[in-house]
């Protein structure tokens, strides 16, 4: 597959990049590491006039801690997230998620954390070559009026398979967007809209510049779990992230998210709340919470990710239970 023609622009700094995006509006797309974008360009899922590379924007790289917040620049390479002591110590779920993104070639050479968060939603009937898709009328995500994943659906049911996004949802991340008009900050649950056709709250001319994750307090632990068809270089069939605190032997501050289910990772508020205040060795409660997570996530899932729907739904229960147990082990220092 050959990449379509476009004009390549590589601004030298953030202001230049924002000016460039402002003047080209919807005709421009942003290129970070390119590990997702280039595939979609080849598949003709996008046909931009301008591709704006962020590779020269040094100010958007790096990880630091400030006023109780862990700040990750959008252009921070995945390998830097993996090797960061701060991420390893405070955000183990994010480290585990990045470890599971694709393969070392993606983590070490190109992929960025901002590009991972902005990974478009995916579907077996959409992420295909132009030739493959040309045999059918376009679906909702391709500006058409039908859905092949769910008969009669009036909207796109594609899934968010970003491992980083699932972890960042459980960790309660904020997303900082910049444009020539200034900056705005959105909770990740608002930045990711949950709409398959338009998965991000991002205006033409805007750029994600920073991810801010609150530093988890004393007794915190987190975990990311994922199931794939192949053992490596594969997107999640379903994933789960759990973040929690252990206080006096009981659960506190539980946040459970499930990826590969809806068009955004699902923050399962009700299931998370059922665990708060329960003793951490109360296996019956952990099982009940995992069952509720499965029930709620199942409502968002359709058969569009290359494995049976029933299997993926069952795995929500398994992954959430594993995630809770591992997060507790991290929080109590029992994980070796
Ligand atoms: C074989 C293969 C396996 C993969 N496996 C996984 C996997 O297991 N898990 C997973 O999560 N991902 C996977 N990916 C997808 C991708 O490699 C990663 O998500 C990677 O982190 C994307 O980062 P990038 O910097 O390369 O993004 P890019 O490809 O450069 O960009 C991705 C999208 O984000 C937008 N974007 C990038 N940066 C910004 C920004 N700062 N502001 C606004 N928009 C921005 C781009 O316009 C584009 O739409 C896989 C890809 C391949 C090819
Ligand atoms: S879920 Fe339906 S509309 Fe969305 S990409 Fe798949 S087939 Fe297309």
């Amino acid at each position: 597959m050959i990449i379509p023609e476009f004009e390549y622009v590589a601004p030298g700094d953030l202001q230049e990049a924002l000016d460039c995006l402002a003047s080209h509006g919807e005709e421009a797309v942003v290129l970070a590491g390119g590990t997702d974008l280039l595939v979609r360009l080849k598949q003709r899922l996008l046909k931009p006039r301008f591709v704006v590379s962020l590779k020269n924007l040094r100010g958007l790289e790096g990880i630091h801690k400030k006023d109780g917040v862990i700040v990750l620049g959008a252009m921070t390479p995945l390998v830097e997230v993996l090797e960061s002591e701060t991420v390893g110590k405070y955000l183990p779920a994010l480290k585990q998620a990045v470890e599971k993104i694709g393969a070392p070639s993606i983590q070490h050479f190109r992929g960025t954390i901002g590009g991972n968060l902005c990974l478009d939603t995916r579907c077996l009937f959409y992420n295909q070559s132009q030739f493959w898709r040309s045999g059918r009328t376009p679906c909702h995500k391709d500006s058409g009026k039908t859905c092949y994943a769910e008969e009669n659906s009036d909207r796109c049911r594609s899934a968010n398979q970003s491992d980083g996004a699932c972890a960042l949802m459980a960790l309660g991340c904020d997303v900082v967007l910049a444009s020539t008009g200034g900056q705005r900050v959105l909770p990740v649950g608002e930045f990711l809209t949950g709409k398959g056709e338009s998965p991000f709250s991002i205006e033409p001319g805007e750029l994600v510049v920073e991810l801010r994750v609150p530093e988890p307090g004393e007794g915190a632990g987190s975990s990311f779990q994922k199931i794939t068809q192949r053992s490596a270089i594969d997107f999640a069939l379903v994933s789960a992230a759990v973040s929690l605190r252990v206080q006096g032997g009981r659960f506190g501050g539980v946040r459970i998210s499930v990826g590969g289910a809806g068009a955004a990772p699902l923050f399962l508020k009700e299931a998370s709340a059922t665990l708060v205040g329960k003793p951490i060795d109360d296996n019956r409660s952990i099982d009940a919470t995992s069952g509720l997570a499965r029930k709620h996530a199942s409502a968002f899932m359709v058969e569009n990710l290359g494995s049976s729907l029933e299997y993926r739904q069952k795995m929500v229960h398994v992954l959430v239970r594993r995630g809770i147990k591992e997060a507790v082990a991290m929080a109590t220092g029992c994980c070796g």
Side-chain angles (χ1 to χ4, degrees):
M1 284 184 282
I2 298 167
I3 291 189
E5 277 191 21
F6 52 77
E7 198 172 312
Y8 175 79
V9 197
D13 59 32
L14 179 60
Q15 193 53 51
E16 211 185 305
L18 296 178
D19 289 341
C20 175
L21 289 171
S23 63
H24 297 318
E26 287 181 351
E27 290 187 314
V29 293
V30 165
L31 174 74
T35 58
D36 170 59
L37 185 71
L38 294 183
V39 178
R40 286 190 294 132
L41 286 174
K42 283 185 179 180
Q43 292 175 327
R44 302 293 201 271
L45 293 170
L46 292 171
K47 293 162 201 132
R49 237 184 105 196
F50 302 94
V51 170
V52 181
S53 169
L54 307 183
K55 71 173 184 183
N56 297 327
L57 276 58
R58 293 286 162 251
L60 297 191
E61 286 180 13
I63 300 167
H64 65 275
K65 209 148 67 78
K66 191 182 168 197
D67 302 332
V69 175
I70 297 155
V71 181
L72 299 101
M75 280 296 284
T76 305
L78 294 175
V79 64
E80 198 175 322
V81 180
L82 263 184
E83 291 174 354
S84 157
E85 271 182 34
T86 306
V87 172
K89 180 172 175 191
Y90 297 104
L91 312 174
L94 182 60
K95 179 175 174 158
Q96 291 172 333
V98 171
E99 262 165 1
K100 293 184 174 112
I101 293 175
S105 52
I106 288 174
Q107 297 151 9
H108 284 252
F109 295 116
R110 285 272 173 244
T112 63
I113 192 67
N116 185 237
L117 179 68
C118 297
L119 183 69
D120 194 13
T121 55
R122 299 174 54 83
C123 170
L124 262 186
F125 303 98
Y126 174 74
N127 294 89
Q128 301 288 352
S129 68
Q130 188 178 33
F131 176 73
W132 191 98
R133 297 193 323 277
S134 67
R136 299 164 176 251
T137 55
C139 68
H140 295 300
K141 197 162 169 71
D142 230 352
S143 307
K145 292 197 182 324
T146 190
C147 175
Y148 299 105
E150 198 187 46
E151 218 181 335
N152 299 327
S153 178
D154 61 353
R155 64 198 162 90
C156 171
R157 306 290 303 268
S158 53
N160 184 305
Q161 290 180 290
S162 160
D163 296 328
C166 183
L168 290 165
M169 183 70 85
L171 292 165
C173 165
D174 283 334
V175 180
V176 184
L177 295 137
S179 68
T180 49
Q183 283 200 348
R184 63 184 178 124
V185 183
L186 290 178
V188 70
E190 283 178 33
F191 174 70
L192 301 171
T193 62
K195 295 179 189 152
E197 295 91 340
S198 51
F200 309 105
S201 275
I202 188 163
E203 300 295 330
E206 271 188 322
L207 199 59
V208 174
V209 288
E210 224 170 69
L211 311 179
R212 295 179 183 164
V213 189
E215 182 187 327
E218 276 292 294
S222 64
S223 166
F224 173 80
Q225 306 285 329
K226 167 179 175 180
I227 283 187
T228 52
Q229 215 150 34
R230 297 179 303 207
S231 61
I233 322 183
D234 213 354
F235 288 95
L237 292 172
V238 66
S239 62
V242 177
S243 153
L244 50 77
R245 276 194 313 279
V246 174
Q247 294 159 320
R250 292 178 183 271
F251 286 107
V254 181
R255 286 181 64 94
I256 299 169
S257 75
V258 171
L266 309 168
F267 167 44
L268 301 176
K269 200 172 171 185
E270 200 183 319
S272 304
T274 57
L275 213 50
V276 174
K278 301 274 170 31
I280 55 170
D281 57 358
D282 180 352
N283 285 325
R284 205 174 278 205
S285 293
I286 294 173
D287 213 43
T289 296
S290 310
L292 193 60
R294 172 189 170 175
K295 183 176 163 210
H296 289 177
S298 293
F300 290 83
M301 297 165 90
V302 293
E303 193 120 26
N304 62 349
L305 295 188
S307 161
S308 85
L309 180 59
E310 195 190 350
Y311 171 72
R312 286 170 52 224
Q313 289 172 338
K314 276 188 181 161
M315 286 303 110
V316 173
H317 188 129
V318 173
L319 296 186
V320 169
R321 190 175 51 208
R322 268 186 211 159
I324 294 169
K325 295 250 178 196
E326 190 173 78
V328 167
M330 298 245 181
T332 54
C334 300
C335 50

